[in-house]
Amino acid sequence: MKLFSTRDTKDSVEFSEALLNPSAAFGGLYAPEILPVCDKKFWQESENLSYRDFALKVIEKFGFDISGEIFAEALKRYKNFDDQKCPVKFTKFSENCEILELYHGPTRAFKDMALQPFGEILSKIAVSRKENYLIMCATSGDTGPATLQTFANAKNTRVICLYPKNGTSEVQRLQMVNADAKNLKTIGIKGNFDDAQRALKNLLADNEFKDELAANGLKLSAANSVNFGRILFQIIYYLFANLHFKGRNFNVIVPSGNFGNALGAYYAKKMGANIADIRIASNANNVLTELFTKGIYDLRKRSLIKTMSPAMDILISSNVERLLFDKFGDIRTRELMRDLKENRFYKLTDDELKELKNDFKAGFSNDEECSEIIKKVSEKGILIDPHTANCFKLINENGKNLIVSTAEWLKFTPSMVKAINGGMKSDEKSEMNALAEKFNVKIPKSISSLFERSEIHKDIAEQNEIKNKIIEWIKK
Ligand SMILES: *Cc1c(COP(=O)(O)O)cnc(C)c1O
C-alpha cells in the first residue's frame, strides 16, 4: 500500500520512502488514501494474541514495502517497557470509565509506543540502503526524550533535538540535556514549540541545508508525528482496546496537541474499532475545541498560553491536515492549508463541520480545573499527569469511556504537588519521592538518576542560529 501527499495525490510513495522523507508535495504530509478494514474473522483470530503478535497482524493488513521480519524485530523493542509482554495497561477508574496507560516505556510518555519501534525500523533501513540519516525532532517535551532514547547508538543515524528553552518540565529538560551518546545532540531554542516545529519544517524544505548535509554524507529525516511511521504504531493500541472491550461501543478521550494520537484513534475507527466518539481534550490552547465545535481554525487573535500540560501547548496542530485529507480530499486540504498560512485562519462549510462532528467531540480544561481533577482522582489512589487531567470533563456518563493517559505523573512533580498538597516544600527530587511513597508507586531508575548527572548539551540558540549550530556539529 502506498501513501499519498495530503496536498496532491499525484505524489505517492512507499512506506519506507515516507519514513525517510516525510515531507510531501506542496508542503503536505503522507497519508493513506484507503485504510484496510478489520473484518469479523480478523477479530476472532486476534482474541488471544499477545500485543506484539496482534500488532504484526494489524501491520500486515497495510501491505507496506517493509518485511514482516523487520517489523517483528522493531516490535521487540516493547521489551523495554514495564511489562515485557504488553506495553499498555488498562486501569479501571469508574463503572463506565477505564484509563489506557501508554506511558510505561523508557521515557515515561506515550511517545515511546511509536518511537521505540520506529527507531529500530529507520536504523535498519538506513543500514540496508547503506545511507546515513540526520533525524530531526522538534519537541514540546516528550518527543525529544523518546527520540533521543530510541536512536541512542543506533547505526547509521544521528539525531538533532530542538526544544523550547522554557517550554518543558524540568524532568523532560534533563532527559534531553543528559542524552548520552555520540550520535545525539540537543539544542534549546529561544521560542515556543510552534517556533521549534517551524524551524524543523523550514529545514526539511531547505535545499541549501540538505546540500550541506549531503556533502557530509547525510540525508535528512524527521521523527515528529509529521512522519507517518509514527502514526502507524499509534493506531494499534486503539485496535487493541477494541479487543479489550469485546465488541462493545466505547468513546475514547484523547489529550491532544499535534493531533497524532487522536488521528490514530480516527484511523482505528475507520478500520473497524467500535469507537463511538473520539473526544478531543485540549488545555487553554483550545484551537482544536474551536475547530470541532465551530468549524473554524483561527490563529488571528491567539498567542500561545503556557499551561501545566506543556506537551499540549501547541497552536499549529500538524496532523489535523491528515484528517482534512481523509474527509475532504487533497484539493480542499491544499486550499485550507493555504488559507491558514496566508490568513492564519480557515473556515469549514456547514456540511464539512457536520462531517467532523460525526466522529469527534471536543472540549478543554484550564489549569485550575486540571489541578482539581488531579486531586480528586488522587483520592481514589490513582495518580494522573496534568495532560491526562484534561480528559475528565469529557467523560460521557451514558456510555463506556476510555481515557488515554499520555504521560506518567513524575515528569511533572511541581504541578502534581501543587494540586495535591498545595505547593512544593522541598526540591523536586525529594517531593517526587515523597509522592511516590504516599501512593505506593515506584520511580524508575532512569528518572531518579537524572538529577545526579551533569548536563551534556548546553547549547541555546536563536532561531537564525539553529542551522549553523547543526552544521557545525555534523562536521565534527
Ligand atoms: C505529545 C503529548 C500529547 C499530545 O499528543 P499529540 O499526538 O501531539 O496530540 C499529550 N500528552 C502528552 C503527555 C504528550 O507527550
Side-chain angles (χ1 to χ4, degrees):
M1 185 181 113
K2 285 193 157 197
L3 298 164
F4 295 82
S5 167
T6 48
R7 298 189 196 180
D8 181 3
T9 49
K10 286 201 283 301
D11 174 16
S12 70
V13 294
E14 296 293 346
F15 178 77
S16 63
E17 199 53 40
L19 203 79
L20 299 172
N21 300 302
S23 293
F26 299 103
L29 305 175
Y30 286 115
E33 209 167 31
I34 299 166
L35 286 145
V37 173
C38 305
D39 55 15
K40 209 166 155 191
K41 180 162 160 273
F42 171 93
W43 293 113
Q44 277 167 356
E45 288 169 359
S46 301
E47 257 166 37
N48 297 312
L49 294 183
S50 68
Y51 189 92
R52 273 194 247 166
D53 288 342
F54 177 68
L56 268 182
K57 196 172 166 71
V58 172
I59 291 168
E60 211 170 78
K61 288 195 87 71
F62 282 88
F64 288 134
D65 68 329
I66 291 176
S67 73
E69 288 90 69
I70 290 187
F71 277 119
E73 270 309 301
L75 291 165
K76 280 190 189 154
R77 286 279 196 104
Y78 286 145
K79 71 178 187 307
N80 298 336
F81 284 58
D82 290 344
D83 176 351
Q84 297 198 3
K85 293 210 184 72
C86 185
V88 305
K89 188 175 167 215
F90 294 89
T91 292
K92 187 170 171 179
F93 172 68
S94 67
E95 256 337 290
N96 59 8
C97 183
E98 290 186 55
I99 299 173
L100 176 60
E101 298 172 5
L102 298 176
Y103 55 71
H104 291 281
T107 69
R108 316 313 287 175
F110 93 96
K111 304 298 196 289
D112 290 327
M113 288 298 301
L115 278 166
Q116 280 292 310
F118 175 88
E120 189 74 26
I121 295 173
L122 204 156
S123 171
K124 282 208 152 64
I125 306 179
V127 170
S128 75
R129 292 190 178 193
K130 299 193 173 61
E131 290 172 346
N132 287 284
Y133 280 85
L134 179 71
I135 296 137
M136 304 250 325
C137 89
T139 183
S140 57
D142 289 322
T143 296
T147 303
L148 293 163
Q149 167 82 29
T150 196
F151 286 109
N153 300 312
K155 285 187 186 142
N156 296 37
T157 62
R158 298 177 81 168
V159 174
I160 288 281
C161 167
L162 304 175
Y163 72 97
K165 180 173 163 272
N166 298 313
T168 74
S169 81
E170 180 62 2
V171 165
Q172 291 170 324
R173 191 186 70 83
L174 288 171
Q175 286 179 314
M176 292 184 275
V177 298
N178 283 334
D180 191 7
K182 274 210 195 88
N183 66 334
L184 309 178
K185 169 128 182 115
T186 296
I187 302 173
I189 67 155
K190 294 182 184 165
N192 56 40
F193 170 74
D194 287 322
D195 297 320
Q197 181 162 253
R198 191 173 323 114
L200 179 144
K201 284 182 181 168
N202 287 342
L203 287 173
L204 284 179
D206 182 336
N207 287 328
E208 195 188 277
F209 180 63
K210 285 191 216 171
D211 288 346
E212 188 77 44
L213 293 184
N216 290 278
L218 286 169
K219 295 189 164 215
L220 187 61
S221 187
N224 280 76
S225 55
V226 295
N227 196 317
F228 186 80
R230 292 246 328 251
I231 304 295
L232 174 64
F233 296 100
Q234 295 175 185
I235 300 171
I236 296 165
Y237 45 76
Y238 291 103
L239 296 171
F240 190 72
N242 193 61
L243 279 177
H244 175 80
F245 282 107
K246 297 189 166 43
R248 279 169 304 173
N249 279 335
F250 60 105
N251 303 300
V252 295
I253 313 175
V254 191
S256 296
N258 227 2
F259 202 70
N261 200 356
L263 184 75
Y266 172 71
Y267 285 157
K269 180 173 178 179
K270 287 199 79 164
M271 290 175 70
N274 297 308
I275 296 172
D277 308 330
I278 301 159
R279 295 173 173 239
I280 303 300
S282 296
N283 63 22
N285 297 293
N286 55 6
V287 267
L288 294 176
T289 311
E290 203 168 45
L291 175 65
F292 288 107
T293 56
K294 296 186 191 148
I296 54 177
Y297 204 105
D298 191 355
L299 300 173
R300 289 172 302 186
K301 288 193 215 76
R302 285 180 187 269
S303 53
L304 199 76
I305 301 166
K306 274 181 77 135
T307 73
M308 67 196 279
S309 39
M312 294 158 66
D313 289 347
I314 290 176
L315 291 177
I316 300 164
S317 186
S318 302
N319 281 295
V320 169
E321 177 163 352
R322 287 189 167 111
L323 173 66
L324 298 175
F325 171 68
D326 192 80
K327 291 284 194 192
F328 314 126
D330 58 342
I331 292 169
R332 180 63 172 148
T333 302
R334 201 198 306 182
E335 185 176 82
L336 292 169
M337 290 298 115
R338 190 199 55 211
D339 284 353
L340 187 64
K341 188 158 188 212
E342 286 175 6
N343 310 322
R344 297 175 61 73
F345 172 82
Y346 65 74
K347 187 173 187 332
L348 302 178
T349 64
D350 290 348
D351 285 345
E352 287 168 340
L353 175 59
K354 219 162 114 195
E355 182 64 39
L356 293 191
K357 284 184 172 175
N358 281 337
D359 297 304
F360 293 92
K361 296 220 165 24
F364 70 100
S365 308
N366 59 36
D367 276 3
E368 207 178 317
E369 291 169 315
C370 285
S371 289
E372 274 169 32
I373 286 159
I374 289 171
K375 186 168 171 63
K376 244 169 120 182
V377 174
S378 78
E379 284 157 9
K380 290 184 168 227
I382 300 171
L383 288 174
I384 49 151
D385 91 290
H387 301 78
T388 309
N390 290 289
C391 295
F392 286 73
K393 259 170 88 173
L394 296 180
I395 292 175
N396 175 1
E397 295 300 339
N398 300 319
K400 287 265 168 225
N401 297 271
L402 185 67
I403 285 179
V404 177
S405 186
T406 45
E408 192 162 30
W409 64 273
L410 45 72
K411 294 186 100 168
F412 311 97
T413 298
S415 300
M416 298 298 296
V417 172
K418 190 162 167 235
I420 295 171
N421 299 332
M424 300 263 284
K425 295 200 186 63
S426 179
D427 62 279
E428 179 157 349
K429 192 176 177 199
S430 314
E431 293 278 9
M432 189 190 292
N433 285 328
L435 212 53
E437 202 166 312
K438 182 169 164 189
F439 287 87
N440 198 20
V441 290
K442 280 209 186 86
I443 295 181
K445 186 92 188 36
S446 59
I447 298 293
S448 55
S449 66
L450 283 174
F451 294 89
E452 288 143 28
R453 284 189 247 153
S454 62
E455 297 179 12
I456 297 167
H457 305 280
K458 295 195 165 69
D459 276 332
I460 303 292
E462 299 276 359
Q463 293 283 328
N464 60 9
E465 296 169 339
I466 296 170
K467 189 161 138 183
N468 283 341
K469 282 217 186 282
I470 296 174
I471 290 171
E472 224 172 82
W473 177 64
I474 59 167
K475 283 188 169 160
K476 265 192 202 154

